[in-house]
Amino acid sequence: MTPFHADVQEVLADLGVGEVVSYGEVARRAGRPGAARAVGAFLSAHGGDLPWWRVVRADGWLAAHKVQEQERRLRAEGVDVVAGRVLDALPPR
């Protein structure tokens, strides 16, 4: 695991229930702005116990894989998901 991956894990561990952020925001908080795709790749490979479902695309759309599971988990945390998209949880761009 790289230091960046450890930083991503820390960012995800700090997310609260129902808190939704973009891949880019995770990368920024981990000290690597512009590394959104690296965050996505890491979560695809190592998401397991991490709250991967709280990370969505910058436009609010859910991840391309595990969409049903992601939506189920977000709804269980009180997040409104409409037609595969989180509308109100992301800060304005």
Side-chain angles (χ1 to χ4, degrees), residues 46-82:
H46 304 288
D49 296 332
L50 301 173
W52 57 268
W53 59 91
R54 296 179 182 149
V55 185
V56 298
R57 292 177 15 177
D59 58 7
W61 288 102
L62 302 183
H65 65 290
K66 299 183 183 179
V67 172
Q68 291 176 334
E69 177 68 10
Q70 186 174 23
E71 184 171 342
R72 184 189 68 74
R73 288 180 183 227
L74 288 172
R75 286 180 186 271
E77 292 186 359
V79 176
D80 290 327
V81 180
V82 178

Side-chain angles (χ1 to χ4, degrees), residues 1-88:
M1 180 173 307
T2 69
F4 173 67
H5 293 152
D7 292 340
V8 168
Q9 282 187 316
E10 187 174 323
V11 169
L12 294 175
D14 288 343
L15 294 178
V17 172
E19 183 178 357
V20 179
V21 296
S22 68
Y23 292 97
E25 178 62 15
V26 172
R28 186 190 68 74
R29 291 182 188 184
R32 294 258 321 263
R37 289 184 183 196
V39 171
F42 174 70
L43 290 179
S44 290
H46 304 288
D49 296 332
L50 301 173
W52 57 268
W53 59 91
R54 296 179 182 149
V55 185
V56 298
R57 292 177 15 177
D59 58 7
W61 288 102
L62 302 183
H65 65 290
K66 299 183 183 179
V67 172
Q68 291 176 334
E69 177 68 10
Q70 186 174 23
E71 184 171 342
R72 184 189 68 74
R73 288 180 183 227
L74 288 172
R75 286 180 186 271
E77 292 186 359
V79 176
D80 290 327
V81 180
V82 178
R85 189 173 183 203
V86 174
L87 300 178
D88 297 329

